[in-house]
Amino acid sequence: MAASVMTPPGMTWGSAAASAAGLDADLLSKISTVFVPSDDAIKAYVASSGLTTADLATGTGKAAVTAHVIPNTTLTSADFPAGASSYDTVAGSKLTVNNSGGMLTVTSGGVTANVIQADITTGNATIFLIDQVLASAV
């Protein structure tokens, strides 16, 4: 069993979601940039949506998880230019990162999240902890 790539404090639910969706092994073997909702953000989303972590393994749940992943590139906060830049996600949706004076936000499907911790490197991924689930991305 592969070790989780998302183990920093505050990301245990994000790790469980990635494992359920089968992303842990993918992130260990491929380079990517991942926007992981904080535990509090995922708990709030689960409470309001009725989904469980197990629901994230298939269908819409898996698409919601993969909408947080930019494949084939490991970006750090220094790589995002000033203003807005758009990226394709594993889910096939668009994700926009806005860099305003070094403060990063990420938007997808009408949901905007603040980056609360940047540049967490683990395995082949760079992880950004965010304060919202980008559920409307799919």
Side-chain angles (χ1 to χ4, degrees), residues 3-8 11-12 14-16 18 23-24 27 34 36 122 127:
S4 173
V5 297
M6 296 180 205
T7 56
M11 295 186 351
T12 56
S15 179
L23 290 178
D24 266 358
L27 294 177
V34 186
V36 178
T122 180
I127 297 172

Side-chain angles (χ1 to χ4, degrees), residues 25-100:
D26 262 359
L27 294 177
L28 287 172
S29 65
K30 299 176 185 173
I31 62 170
S32 55
T33 303
V34 186
F35 294 90
V36 178
S38 68
D39 287 347
D40 289 341
I42 293 175
K43 288 175 188 175
Y45 176 72
V46 167
S48 67
S49 71
L51 292 176
T52 66
T53 303
D55 294 329
L56 300 174
T58 60
T60 303
K62 186 171 183 174
V65 172
T66 58
H68 291 76
V69 181
I70 300 170
N72 307 317
T73 188
T74 304
L75 300 167
T76 67
S77 56
D79 295 321
F80 295 111
S85 50
S86 184
Y87 303 88
D88 293 321
T89 68
V90 171
S93 58
K94 291 286 186 190
L95 185 140
T96 301
V97 177
N98 191 333
N99 181 349
S100 178

